[in-house]
Amino acid sequence: MELEFFTNLPSDMPTNILNLPSDMTINILSRLSLREIAISKSVCKPWLDLIESNDIGKSKIKTASALVHFTPSARCTIFEIEDEDEADLESHDLHYHALTDLVIPHPNRSSMEGTSANELLLLNPSTTKGIPLYVCNPMTREYAELSYPLYIPERQLKFGFGVSKLSGEYKVVCINADNGFNTHYVYTLGTGKWRRIEAGAASGYKFWAQPLLCNHNLHWTVMDLWHNNSICGFDVETERFSIFSFPSNGYGFGDLCVLRDRLCYCYSLGEDFIIWCMKEYQVEESWTVEYKLSPIDWSFDWNYMLVEPIKLFKDGDMLMLLDKSRLIYYSYKAETFEYVDMFKDLDANDLVSPMIFNPSLLSLKNFGFKNVIKF
């Protein structure tokens, strides 16, 4: 109903409707779905400017969280995720619906990985060969190129992307991932340059896998010179590293994850799937077993599968990734698991790498990029 109203405004009413104060316009837009907000950009130029400006990014407009599936070929499929306030809880199929499906046409056609920070994605090559990085907002269909801070042959680089807690600055972190390299780099969007930072508490550690963003900190699994594994946190605001432990007897065959803004660790043990939650951030004594799930009437064994929680719903239901290839849905009330065919139309050769992010229509031009490309 709201969308029909906005797209059929009489031509003789611009002063009454289109020239509302920005705070009133923001209040109206906050009542629309993300799809309807996108269409509202075409109503008039003031609305377009407001939606794509920094003001709209600070306006507290809330949109449903989304799940973005990013493939190495840069295909980006986005699903809007519903929660208990708006979802039909009788059917898990109605917890999501397709929002958009696109291919990001960056010049580099090598295999890419994606990392999210709020509404933006960082695209980086799967193998480091001096190939550019890209920052992208798939909702505005924009991307911009970042160069590497320094290319050194035979050095393994890993990248993180986060938002600082107080300043709200978006920062890309470049990690020299191998043991013994204690100089890393940070790029703050809008500055146009990289800065060197020291490893500090993370000196001497080897970094593994893609980072996880939680509590305005990036997190990696790291290994010291004696092959002991720990968690490394990087505070995006202060740009300092910290090292803390996995839950007791927990590390060895699992993954870090985020559920309801808390750092969690999950792994399989026998026929059970166990999720630890860190109740107080970086307080090792606060690790607590939050879930202990067991498959019922399933034809596979947890021992042979990697299970990664993606989203915890308000009613206790959970969306999880199974062996990086299939999504499964856990019903808290029924204590049952079901497959979700969210990615059934994707190429079977594409690995599933879904991420939760908060879609918005914030333009990359607001970060001072001179090379923003629309697609």
Side-chain angles (χ1 to χ4, degrees), residues 64 113 135 166 210 220 229 244 284 329:
E113 296 176 343
V135 175
L166 299 178
Q210 288 283 82
W220 290 265
N229 293 286
F244 51 101
E284 298 173 356
Y329 188 90

Side-chain angles (χ1 to χ4, degrees), residues 247-357:
S248 299
N249 303 320
Y251 181 75
F253 37 91
D255 280 299
L256 292 171
C257 64
V258 178
L259 295 176
R260 291 182 180 166
D261 298 323
R262 287 181 172 175
L263 188 65
C264 298
Y265 182 70
C266 58
Y267 59 91
S268 60
L269 183 64
E271 296 182 352
D272 298 321
F273 176 61
I274 299 172
I275 302 176
W276 290 73
C277 176
M278 181 171 266
K279 300 290 188 178
E280 297 181 52
Y281 184 64
Q282 290 195 1
V283 178
E284 298 173 356
E285 294 77 16
S286 71
W287 280 115
T288 305
V289 175
E290 192 78 357
Y291 292 91
K292 187 176 182 181
L293 311 178
S294 298
I296 302 174
D297 297 327
W298 276 40
S299 59
F300 60 80
D301 187 337
W302 288 123
N303 278 319
Y304 299 100
M305 301 212 175
L306 181 64
V307 185
E308 303 169 58
I310 295 174
K311 180 175 176 62
L312 181 63
F313 294 92
K314 293 178 182 178
D315 59 356
D317 291 0
M318 196 180 305
L319 188 66
M320 297 183 280
L321 181 64
L322 180 67
D323 266 2
K324 296 189 179 297
S325 60
R326 294 290 301 273
L327 282 176
I328 55 175
Y329 188 90
Y330 169 71
S331 171
Y332 176 77
K333 183 177 180 180
E335 297 185 347
T336 58
F337 297 82
E338 296 183 60
Y339 284 112
V340 180
D341 291 328
M342 192 179 289
F343 305 135
K344 60 184 178 181
D345 296 328
L346 298 180
D347 191 318
N349 294 322
D350 275 330
L351 290 176
V352 176
S353 55
M355 301 169 284
I356 293 293
F357 84 129

